[in-house]
Amino acid sequence: MPRSLEVVGLRKEYPGTVALDGVSLAFEGGRVHALLGKNGAGKSTLVKILAGTLRPTAGRILVDGREVALGSAQDAFREGIAAVYQELSLVPGLTVAENVFLGRWPRRKGFGGVRVDWPDLRARAGAVLEELGVPLDVRTPVGGLGVARQQLVEIAKAMSFRPSVLMLDEPTSALARYETEALFRIVRRLASQGVVVLYITHRLQELPQIADRVHVLRDGRHAGSLDRAAASPEEIVRLMFGEVPRASRPAALAPGAEPVLSVRGLGSRGKFHGVTFVVRRGEILGIAGMLGSGRTELLRAVFGADPFDEGEVEVGGRVLRRTRPRLMKSLGVAFTPEERQRQGLVQVLSSRENLGLAGLERLGPAGLVLRSRERALVAEAVGRLDIKVPDAELPVGSLSGGNQQKVVVGKWLAVEPRVVLMDEPTRGIDVQAKQQIFQILGDLSRRGIASVVVSSELEELLAVCHRVLIMKQGAIAGEVRPEETAAEELYVRCMEA
């Protein structure tokens, strides 16, 4: 018998913002329900509430017509709701069977006490995989599997709870086409068994193959639902964006003619290939693309955080067939990573210490830090970037997300770069902090410092960039001028196969 899931008037408030605003949706079993919306629309919040990891401020959740309270992931499992997130939660050193029933290994009494019943564990895992039609050896260590097979193990792990509702968050972002088709076969099989399938994706081209019904969120509200036959890309994008005015950038921000960074034929096996572009003095160049397009991998390779296999990078007239962070820094290239907390900052150090990290050689001779120089550097960064620091001696982790991001930028400005590579500079920060980041980009441009900005927020790229490159499947697929392009047009171009 097909199951059902319904949310009524669901609301989630945070200080200063509303993530979900009275959302009411119904999902019936036997169909695959695609959930769409641009970043910040409320998709992740809804999934987390249904998975029991986030509590709503108001509203009701009904499973098979019965109201349920989901205060934890265990509550969700008990009600038959399971989620598979984009970030996999497998243990690489354990086998497929051990991961499928992680934390629930069957036990039996034996000599010396209670032990894991390994034959029973393997038999149970094998039964789940067979039911899904997944031909995997349950004795194989998960760490030796490719991403696609690890994704299938994650789904098998979720299905081992025998859920009536399965939520899949961007399951194909790292999969090849043939791997995606195999995943779709499994998803359709589950739906045919009456399972409620919620499929969260950015990829419009997948919808005709997998979705029976499409639900769109916009700014925390339900913008509309469409059956597959009516879910054209144009109609979906209209629901996602509504009436969006065309963005404009101050005309005074004009790039110079001098190239400061050139990338020619850059490639990294399995990540991106044949990437070529030039950035000029004071230019703000955007790179748009969906998850899995290779944007982050490209920036990391240009800076030298990851290697590349082919091509070359030219900075300030010097041609490089291999890049390294220390070398790129010496040539005037700065990099603010997507994972600012783990890769851009040292959380246990103070804001003062973090602001000086990139320019230690400027703070004193022979590795010594002269406090007078350090104080001047910190004061300049705090004032220029308007960093809200109640006490520069407190750990940088005590700051808000927006102020942490400004510390990441501030530490690099201390080395007076030619070009700044920014990966998702506004992710996870509030509206006011975003506007301040935009102001920083404008100030850099006026000073002749170029920026390359990767962002999932397409409207933001159109608002601040001189040009926007479109990246798909690891390659540059086009270029647009913000003054000639609306956000919904750019979104469609990023999504086209």
Side-chain angles (χ1 to χ4, degrees), residues 73 154 176 183 185 205 211 214 225 243 256 299 311 354 370 419 474-475:
E154 193 76 69
L183 176 65
R185 286 194 293 271
Q205 70 267 28
V214 176
S225 295
E243 297 299 324
L299 281 199
N354 272 278
L370 299 179
V419 56

Side-chain angles (χ1 to χ4, degrees), residues 211-495:
D212 297 302
R213 191 159 173 77
V214 176
H215 309 273
V216 180
L217 297 181
R218 182 175 75 238
D219 299 330
R221 297 190 176 108
H222 177 213
S225 295
L226 303 164
D227 283 328
R228 177 166 52 190
S232 66
E234 295 76 17
E235 182 62 17
I236 292 171
V237 170
R238 186 190 67 79
L239 290 174
M240 290 173 64
F241 285 87
E243 297 299 324
V244 180
R246 181 164 294 178
S248 61
R249 171 182 26 80
L253 293 182
E258 175 195 350
V260 293
L261 173 70
S262 298
V263 173
R264 292 187 284 268
L266 212 65
S268 178
R269 193 171 295 107
K271 298 177 181 177
F272 57 87
H273 56 91
V275 174
T276 296
F277 63 86
V278 175
V279 190
R280 304 188 184 280
R281 187 176 187 274
E283 183 178 23
I284 307 173
L285 176 69
I287 300 180
M290 297 296 108
L291 292 170
S293 63
R295 308 163 305 170
T296 291
E297 293 82 359
L298 173 62
L299 281 199
R300 289 179 60 84
V302 170
F303 186 67
D306 294 329
F308 55 84
D309 304 319
E310 58 186 10
E312 61 187 27
V313 175
E314 182 176 348
V315 186
R318 183 168 174 180
V319 177
L320 305 168
R321 297 190 182 279
R322 180 187 175 194
T323 55
R324 300 184 305 276
R326 180 173 294 182
L327 172 61
M328 296 303 281
K329 188 183 87 166
S330 71
L331 294 174
V333 180
F335 175 49
T336 67
E338 178 181 14
E339 295 284 347
R340 62 172 173 265
Q341 291 187 330
R342 293 193 302 110
Q343 300 172 358
L345 298 168
V346 181
Q347 294 289 312
V348 296
L349 296 184
S350 66
S351 297
R352 169 183 60 80
E353 292 166 311
N354 272 278
L355 282 166
L357 280 178
L360 285 174
E361 66 277 5
R362 295 170 181 258
L363 299 181
L368 297 175
V369 175
L370 299 179
R371 293 302 179 195
S372 58
R373 293 189 188 180
E374 186 182 44
R375 283 194 295 270
L377 179 147
V378 171
E380 181 183 7
V382 168
R384 179 191 293 174
L385 304 180
D386 191 27
I387 306 173
K388 304 300 181 185
V389 185
D391 185 347
E393 297 304 317
L394 292 175
V396 72
S398 65
L399 302 182
S400 69
N403 283 298
Q404 287 188 38
Q405 182 65 48
K406 286 189 279 186
V407 170
V408 176
V409 175
K411 77 173 185 181
W412 282 110
L413 294 188
V415 303
E416 300 178 3
R418 300 168 183 260
V419 56
V420 181
L421 311 176
M422 293 189 175
D423 192 1
E424 299 286 3
T426 63
R427 172 168 291 175
I429 62 179
D430 62 33
V431 174
Q432 182 180 5
K434 287 184 179 184
Q435 293 302 317
Q436 291 172 327
I437 295 295
F438 300 157
Q439 182 64 47
I440 290 169
L441 285 167
D443 290 343
L444 293 176
S445 177
R446 291 185 185 92
R447 293 166 54 196
I449 300 172
S451 302
V452 180
V453 183
V454 160
S455 179
S456 301
E457 302 288 350
L458 304 186
E459 304 98 315
E460 294 178 2
L461 291 179
L462 294 175
V464 301
C465 296
H466 294 96
R467 291 183 294 139
V468 178
L469 303 179
I470 298 170
M471 196 165 184
K472 292 188 291 188
Q473 298 178 2
I476 302 298
E479 176 184 318
V480 299
R481 298 280 176 175
E483 61 270 18
E484 302 169 354
T485 310
E488 56 267 33
E489 297 169 17
L490 179 55
Y491 192 91
V492 170
R493 289 196 60 177
C494 287
M495 296 304 305

Side-chain angles (χ1 to χ4, degrees), residues 33-53:
H33 297 263
L35 185 63
L36 281 78
K38 61 189 181 70
N39 283 359
K43 305 187 303 297
S44 295
T45 302
L46 177 60
V47 169
K48 289 176 182 177
I49 289 174
L50 293 174
T53 60

